[in-house]
Amino acid sequence: MARPDPLPHLARLALAQAEPAQPGATLAALEAALAGAVGHILCTMQVHHAGGEAERVWSNLPDAYPVGGRKRASAAPRMQELMQHGRPILIRTQDELRASYPDHAGASALGCGSAMNTPVRWQGRTIGQVNLMHREGWYTEDDLLLVRSFAQYALPAFLMLAGSGTIPTATPPSATGA
């Protein structure tokens, strides 16, 4: 499946970092860029805290997946690969989704059957992640590098959140599926 030219989306993401309302402006731009470049039904972003907790700092569907939710990082082998080695997770089918996420029911109810969890890293550490979900078969290996590059571009916002513990104040636009 051919994807749109990512360059205009990348440019808007880069320019968003100059906006005063940080880190929310950058996270909103990242979500919009990902919607335009690869598409998603659900987009969430998490910051990882010391002690193994992940905190949701962005959601394009805050009623279903509210900002501020925290959970312990999974001990699943795939999640440990993401956390320790920065390897993204690609899930292509509804069966893989069910096997990978014990809490898949909410995403499945939205029509999601594929997912991509992409690490945001700094100095060899995973400090956060960007999670995209779409219908079954949507994401492919070809999307991994592009999504990872977009996510990494938002590193200053993730560093700001990891250091401050503050949740962004910008409100995401209504659902931006593609």
Side-chain angles (χ1 to χ4, degrees):
M1 160 185 329
R3 300 281 194 226
D5 179 5
L7 191 56
H9 303 289
L10 185 61
R12 284 191 289 278
L13 174 56
L15 292 173
Q17 294 184 35
E19 296 297 319
Q22 296 301 332
T26 295
L27 298 184
L30 175 58
E31 193 247 317
L34 292 169
V38 295
H40 61 265
I41 293 170
L42 175 63
C43 173
T44 63
M45 300 175 207
Q46 298 173 322
V47 169
H48 297 183
H49 296 289
E53 265 193 333
E55 177 181 16
R56 189 177 305 117
V57 296
W58 189 264
S59 174
N60 72 315
L61 300 176
D63 291 338
Y65 292 88
V67 168
R70 284 182 178 233
K71 64 181 179 180
R72 301 269 319 139
S74 170
R78 291 175 93 178
M79 188 55 72
Q80 290 305 307
E81 285 291 308
L82 181 138
M83 293 294 297
Q84 294 173 10
H85 304 290
R87 293 188 186 104
I89 298 170
L90 177 62
I91 294 170
R92 296 177 185 89
T93 68
Q94 187 67 245
D95 288 340
E96 286 181 50
L97 187 72
R98 278 191 294 274
S100 299
Y101 298 105
D103 57 350
H104 69 86
S108 295
L110 293 170
C112 298
S114 64
M116 196 179 328
N117 300 87
T118 305
V120 177
R121 293 184 50 94
W122 177 243
Q123 296 183 328
R125 264 185 56 236
T126 300
I127 63 163
Q129 67 188 62
V130 176
N131 308 305
L132 300 178
M133 297 183 122
H134 213 303
R135 70 177 188 260
E136 187 170 52
W138 187 264
Y139 299 117
T140 69
E141 295 281 337
D142 293 338
D143 296 318
L144 289 174
L145 181 59
L146 180 62
V147 172
R148 191 156 193 192
S149 298
F150 273 96
Q152 203 61 37
Y153 233 83
L155 177 64
F158 280 87
L159 287 171
M160 188 176 191
L161 286 163
S164 72
T166 303
I167 294 179
T169 57
T171 304
S174 59
T176 56

